[in-house]
Amino acid sequence: MVDSPIATATYRVRPMALDDVDQVVAVEKLCFPLPWPAQTYRRDLSYNGPARYLVVEQVPPSARGNPRVVGFCGYWLIEDEAHVSTIGVHPDFRGLGLGEYLFASLLAEAMERRATSATLEVRLSNLTAQRLYRKYGFEPTGRRRRYYRDNHEDALLMGVDSIDGEAYAARFDALWRNLMQRLARSPTPDKNPAAGAAS
Ligand SMILES: CC(C)(COP(=O)(O)OP(=O)(O)OC[C@H]1O[C@@H](n2cnc3c(N)ncnc32)[C@H](O)[C@@H]1OP(=O)(O)O)[C@@H](O)C(=O)NCCC(=O)NCCS
């Protein structure tokens, strides 16, 4: 365990940059049967539109070596609604709290940007992701029949309202504190997601 890169590494969430795209696409291919082309990220990152992306990177313990992108997420902010468009963590780095670190950072940034609600679509069979979303207050709101092109699986629509309210802020703060404690037990990410995520 002492020699494991995970035992000594730290993790940091930050905005995705154009230079990250090749690494993101490589991780995404390990996450989804229908990964997005690199061009989609490059276009969205170059054009100052509603799409926002974050990455989580593994920071080497010393100055030697380069940080490695091990996860990514994105959302569109349309007026006051954040729509989560993608999230994925490299299979070797799952179960460490990094998906939650990304998702909570995304929500924190959206709240800073005055989002009042958030929505997403998820495969009906993807109970792992649904559990993460439920943890942050998302509930099913509908279904899109045969939404996914590879296997015609239905999409479950999930959403959460009033993320600008005091009750949600209290819930979010408690989750964030727990997440930081969990991550501090092995990796040590940045302590302030909103500052890290804002560009
Ligand atoms: C969904 C995904 C991003 C979760 O990332 P992760 O880093 O493994 O998740 P975390 O370790 O941060 O766990 C956060 C929460 O997710 C849920 N979760 C994670 N792994 C789980 C598992 N094996 N079984 C059930 N729930 C799980 C839990 O709610 C967990 O919180 P808890 O530990 O308090 O129970 C990751 O599994 C992934 O990349 N999957 C492939 C891509 C994908 O399906 N993306 C979602 C598209 S809608």
Side-chain angles (χ1 to χ4, degrees), residues 27-28 30-33 56 70-72 84-91 93-103 120-123 126-136 148 156 175 178-179 182-183:
V27 175
E28 194 180 355
L30 302 172
C31 291
F32 296 120
V56 62
V70 297
F72 58 90
V84 181
S85 56
T86 187
I87 181 167
V89 171
H90 189 296
F93 290 81
R94 290 185 192 157
L96 297 171
L98 299 181
E100 183 172 348
Y101 187 25
L102 279 166
F103 193 62
L120 54 80
E121 292 116 15
V122 55
R123 285 177 195 260
N126 193 347
L127 301 181
T128 299
Q130 287 170 35
R131 193 161 160 206
L132 168 61
Y133 306 147
R134 283 179 190 273
K135 192 170 175 180
Y136 282 78
Y148 294 97
L156 183 68
L175 286 168
N178 283 343
L179 174 63
R182 176 182 179 185
L183 290 167

Side-chain angles (χ1 to χ4, degrees), residues 121-188:
E121 292 116 15
V122 55
R123 285 177 195 260
L124 212 51
S125 64
N126 193 347
L127 301 181
T128 299
Q130 287 170 35
R131 193 161 160 206
L132 168 61
Y133 306 147
R134 283 179 190 273
K135 192 170 175 180
Y136 282 78
F138 285 67
E139 294 290 345
T141 56
R143 217 156 133 164
R144 279 198 222 289
R145 302 270 306 152
R146 300 169 65 80
Y147 181 74
Y148 294 97
R149 276 182 290 127
D150 61 327
N151 63 355
H152 307 296
E153 187 173 354
D154 289 1
L156 183 68
L157 309 182
M158 298 183 80
V160 58
D161 289 326
S162 305
I163 61 174
D164 55 336
E166 280 178 23
Y168 194 79
R171 176 180 186 159
F172 186 89
D173 285 350
L175 286 168
W176 182 258
R177 269 197 303 279
N178 283 343
L179 174 63
M180 287 300 110
Q181 279 166 10
R182 176 182 179 185
L183 290 167
R185 282 197 287 273
S186 46
T188 312

Side-chain angles (χ1 to χ4, degrees), residues 44 47-53 74-79 81-83 85 109 113:
D44 282 357
Y47 158 68
N48 187 21
R52 304 270 308 164
Y53 297 98
Y75 72 103
W76 300 305
L77 186 61
I78 313 271
E79 300 193 350
E81 180 181 304
H83 181 79
S85 56
E109 185 188 292
R113 292 172 172 254

